[in-house]
Short mmCIF file of all heavy atoms in Angstrom, two decimals:
data_model
loop_
_atom_site.label_atom_id
_atom_site.label_comp_id
_atom_site.label_asym_id
_atom_site.label_seq_id
_atom_site.Cartn_x
_atom_site.Cartn_y
_atom_site.Cartn_z
N PRO A 106 22.66 26.17 -42.42
CA PRO A 106 23.71 26.49 -41.40
C PRO A 106 24.41 25.21 -40.89
O PRO A 106 23.74 24.14 -40.74
CB PRO A 106 22.91 27.22 -40.36
CG PRO A 106 21.52 26.85 -40.48
CD PRO A 106 21.30 26.59 -41.86
N ALA A 107 25.67 25.33 -40.57
CA ALA A 107 26.40 24.12 -40.04
C ALA A 107 26.00 23.87 -38.67
O ALA A 107 25.61 24.71 -37.87
CB ALA A 107 27.88 24.37 -40.11
N PRO A 108 26.10 22.59 -38.18
CA PRO A 108 25.93 22.26 -36.79
C PRO A 108 27.02 23.06 -35.96
O PRO A 108 28.08 23.33 -36.33
CB PRO A 108 26.21 20.71 -36.67
CG PRO A 108 26.02 20.23 -38.13
CD PRO A 108 26.40 21.42 -39.02
N ARG A 109 26.51 23.30 -34.69
CA ARG A 109 27.48 24.21 -33.79
C ARG A 109 28.70 23.49 -33.37
O ARG A 109 29.66 24.14 -33.13
CB ARG A 109 26.57 24.72 -32.68
CG ARG A 109 25.60 25.75 -33.10
CD ARG A 109 24.52 26.00 -32.01
NE ARG A 109 23.70 24.80 -31.76
CZ ARG A 109 22.72 24.76 -30.85
NH1 ARG A 109 22.47 25.81 -30.13
NH2 ARG A 109 22.12 23.60 -30.66
N THR A 110 28.56 22.21 -33.14
CA THR A 110 29.72 21.41 -32.65
C THR A 110 29.74 20.07 -33.48
O THR A 110 28.90 19.69 -34.15
CB THR A 110 29.53 21.04 -31.09
OG1 THR A 110 28.45 20.24 -31.03
CG2 THR A 110 29.31 22.33 -30.33
N LEU A 111 31.06 19.49 -33.36
CA LEU A 111 31.26 18.22 -34.00
C LEU A 111 30.39 17.15 -33.36
O LEU A 111 29.85 16.27 -34.01
CB LEU A 111 32.76 17.80 -33.94
CG LEU A 111 33.13 16.42 -34.49
CD1 LEU A 111 32.74 16.41 -36.06
CD2 LEU A 111 34.58 16.05 -34.30
N LYS A 112 30.24 17.19 -32.08
CA LYS A 112 29.29 16.27 -31.38
C LYS A 112 27.81 16.38 -31.91
O LYS A 112 27.25 15.32 -32.17
CB LYS A 112 29.27 16.62 -29.88
CG LYS A 112 28.40 15.62 -29.05
CD LYS A 112 28.37 15.98 -27.60
CE LYS A 112 27.52 15.06 -26.82
NZ LYS A 112 27.48 15.32 -25.38
N GLU A 113 27.39 17.52 -32.22
CA GLU A 113 25.99 17.72 -32.77
C GLU A 113 26.04 17.19 -34.19
O GLU A 113 25.08 16.54 -34.65
CB GLU A 113 25.64 19.20 -32.76
CG GLU A 113 24.25 19.41 -33.40
CD GLU A 113 23.90 20.82 -33.57
OE1 GLU A 113 24.74 21.69 -33.13
OE2 GLU A 113 22.92 21.09 -34.32
N ALA A 114 27.17 17.33 -34.97
CA ALA A 114 27.30 16.89 -36.28
C ALA A 114 27.22 15.37 -36.40
O ALA A 114 26.76 14.81 -37.34
CB ALA A 114 28.51 17.40 -36.96
N ILE A 115 27.72 14.65 -35.41
CA ILE A 115 27.72 13.25 -35.33
C ILE A 115 26.43 12.69 -34.77
O ILE A 115 25.81 11.84 -35.36
CB ILE A 115 28.87 12.81 -34.44
CG1 ILE A 115 30.21 13.09 -35.03
CG2 ILE A 115 28.87 11.23 -34.32
CD1 ILE A 115 31.42 12.86 -34.14
N SER A 116 25.86 13.14 -33.60
CA SER A 116 24.68 12.66 -33.05
C SER A 116 23.43 13.23 -33.59
O SER A 116 22.53 12.67 -33.63
CB SER A 116 24.74 12.86 -31.50
OG SER A 116 24.79 14.26 -31.21
N GLY A 117 23.54 14.53 -34.09
CA GLY A 117 22.33 15.22 -34.50
C GLY A 117 21.58 14.49 -35.71
O GLY A 117 20.37 14.44 -35.63
N PRO A 118 22.28 14.02 -36.73
CA PRO A 118 21.66 13.38 -37.81
C PRO A 118 20.81 12.12 -37.37
O PRO A 118 19.74 11.87 -37.83
CB PRO A 118 22.75 13.03 -38.85
CG PRO A 118 23.83 13.97 -38.47
CD PRO A 118 23.77 14.24 -36.96
N LEU A 119 21.45 11.39 -36.48
CA LEU A 119 20.81 10.15 -36.06
C LEU A 119 19.59 10.44 -35.15
O LEU A 119 18.57 9.83 -35.28
CB LEU A 119 21.80 9.27 -35.24
CG LEU A 119 22.93 8.69 -36.16
CD1 LEU A 119 23.93 7.96 -35.29
CD2 LEU A 119 22.35 7.75 -37.26
N LYS A 120 19.81 11.42 -34.22
CA LYS A 120 18.64 11.69 -33.43
C LYS A 120 17.53 12.40 -34.24
O LYS A 120 16.37 12.06 -33.96
CB LYS A 120 19.10 12.86 -32.32
CG LYS A 120 20.00 12.30 -31.23
CD LYS A 120 20.38 13.42 -30.23
CE LYS A 120 21.25 12.86 -29.10
NZ LYS A 120 21.67 14.01 -28.19
N ASP A 121 17.87 13.15 -35.25
CA ASP A 121 16.79 13.71 -36.03
C ASP A 121 15.97 12.65 -36.84
O ASP A 121 14.78 12.70 -36.76
CB ASP A 121 17.44 14.64 -37.08
CG ASP A 121 16.47 15.24 -38.09
OD1 ASP A 121 15.68 16.09 -37.65
OD2 ASP A 121 16.47 14.75 -39.24
N LEU A 122 16.71 11.70 -37.31
CA LEU A 122 16.01 10.55 -37.94
C LEU A 122 15.19 9.72 -37.13
O LEU A 122 14.02 9.44 -37.35
CB LEU A 122 17.06 9.75 -38.70
CG LEU A 122 17.71 10.34 -40.02
CD1 LEU A 122 18.74 9.43 -40.60
CD2 LEU A 122 16.76 10.68 -41.07
N LEU A 123 15.80 9.30 -35.92
CA LEU A 123 15.12 8.41 -35.03
C LEU A 123 13.88 9.05 -34.31
O LEU A 123 13.06 8.33 -33.86
CB LEU A 123 16.13 7.93 -33.97
CG LEU A 123 17.27 7.02 -34.45
CD1 LEU A 123 18.28 6.67 -33.38
CD2 LEU A 123 16.72 5.70 -35.09
N GLN A 124 13.92 10.38 -34.24
CA GLN A 124 12.73 11.05 -33.61
C GLN A 124 11.65 11.33 -34.59
O GLN A 124 10.56 11.68 -34.20
CB GLN A 124 13.23 12.40 -33.05
CG GLN A 124 14.10 12.26 -31.82
CD GLN A 124 14.70 13.50 -31.37
OE1 GLN A 124 14.55 14.56 -31.99
NE2 GLN A 124 15.46 13.56 -30.27
N ARG A 125 11.81 11.00 -35.85
CA ARG A 125 10.76 11.22 -36.87
C ARG A 125 9.66 10.12 -36.76
O ARG A 125 10.03 8.94 -36.63
CB ARG A 125 11.34 11.30 -38.31
CG ARG A 125 12.23 12.49 -38.54
CD ARG A 125 12.65 12.45 -40.04
NE ARG A 125 13.79 13.36 -40.28
CZ ARG A 125 14.21 13.53 -41.50
NH1 ARG A 125 13.73 12.95 -42.55
NH2 ARG A 125 15.23 14.35 -41.59
N LYS A 126 8.49 10.56 -36.93
CA LYS A 126 7.39 9.62 -37.02
C LYS A 126 7.39 8.87 -38.32
O LYS A 126 7.58 9.42 -39.42
CB LYS A 126 6.04 10.32 -36.89
CG LYS A 126 4.85 9.45 -37.00
CD LYS A 126 3.64 10.35 -37.02
CE LYS A 126 2.32 9.39 -37.16
NZ LYS A 126 1.09 10.30 -37.13
N GLY A 127 7.37 7.55 -38.31
CA GLY A 127 7.32 6.69 -39.41
C GLY A 127 8.69 6.53 -40.19
O GLY A 127 8.79 6.05 -41.25
N ILE A 128 9.86 6.90 -39.47
CA ILE A 128 11.10 6.78 -40.13
C ILE A 128 11.49 5.34 -40.49
O ILE A 128 12.17 5.09 -41.48
CB ILE A 128 12.26 7.39 -39.17
CG1 ILE A 128 13.56 7.40 -39.90
CG2 ILE A 128 12.42 6.56 -37.88
CD1 ILE A 128 13.56 8.30 -41.15
N ALA A 129 10.95 4.39 -39.63
CA ALA A 129 11.25 2.95 -40.02
C ALA A 129 10.76 2.54 -41.41
O ALA A 129 11.40 1.78 -42.17
CB ALA A 129 10.62 2.01 -39.00
N TYR A 130 9.66 3.09 -41.83
CA TYR A 130 9.11 2.84 -43.22
C TYR A 130 10.08 3.37 -44.26
O TYR A 130 10.30 2.71 -45.28
CB TYR A 130 7.70 3.40 -43.31
CG TYR A 130 6.72 2.87 -42.46
CD1 TYR A 130 6.08 3.59 -41.40
CD2 TYR A 130 6.18 1.52 -42.72
CE1 TYR A 130 5.15 3.09 -40.62
CE2 TYR A 130 5.27 1.05 -41.91
CZ TYR A 130 4.77 1.80 -40.87
OH TYR A 130 3.76 1.28 -40.06
N LEU A 131 10.52 4.61 -44.11
CA LEU A 131 11.47 5.28 -45.03
C LEU A 131 12.80 4.42 -45.15
O LEU A 131 13.25 4.22 -46.19
CB LEU A 131 11.72 6.73 -44.65
CG LEU A 131 12.72 7.47 -45.52
CD1 LEU A 131 12.17 7.50 -47.02
CD2 LEU A 131 12.93 8.86 -45.01
N LEU A 132 13.31 4.11 -43.94
CA LEU A 132 14.61 3.35 -44.00
C LEU A 132 14.36 1.95 -44.61
O LEU A 132 15.28 1.51 -45.39
CB LEU A 132 15.05 3.21 -42.50
CG LEU A 132 15.47 4.50 -41.77
CD1 LEU A 132 15.94 4.21 -40.37
CD2 LEU A 132 16.60 5.28 -42.53
N ALA A 133 13.23 1.29 -44.32
CA ALA A 133 13.02 -0.01 -44.94
C ALA A 133 12.87 0.18 -46.47
O ALA A 133 13.39 -0.66 -47.25
CB ALA A 133 11.70 -0.61 -44.35
N PHE A 134 12.21 1.25 -46.81
CA PHE A 134 12.02 1.46 -48.33
C PHE A 134 13.46 1.75 -48.89
O PHE A 134 13.69 1.21 -50.12
CB PHE A 134 11.20 2.73 -48.56
CG PHE A 134 10.84 2.92 -49.93
CD1 PHE A 134 9.90 2.15 -50.61
CD2 PHE A 134 11.43 3.95 -50.70
CE1 PHE A 134 9.42 2.39 -51.92
CE2 PHE A 134 11.06 4.21 -52.02
CZ PHE A 134 10.17 3.39 -52.56
N ALA A 135 14.37 2.42 -48.30
CA ALA A 135 15.66 2.64 -48.81
C ALA A 135 16.43 1.38 -49.07
O ALA A 135 17.19 1.18 -49.96
CB ALA A 135 16.49 3.45 -47.87
#
């Protein structure tokens, strides 16, 4: 399903990634 608002579409992906445990390892691997 699509994000409910454009604001969520912009901020949601970053918040989702930054709140994940161990995301720094995945980003460094990328």
Side-chain angles (χ1 to χ4, degrees):
R109 290 166 294 182
T110 64
L111 180 58
K112 180 179 179 181
E113 181 189 349
I115 295 173
S116 61
L119 293 177
K120 287 182 179 179
D121 175 72
L122 289 176
L123 294 176
Q124 289 172 358
R125 294 187 194 179
K126 178 184 177 182
I128 187 60
Y130 295 109
L131 179 61
L132 295 179
F134 187 77

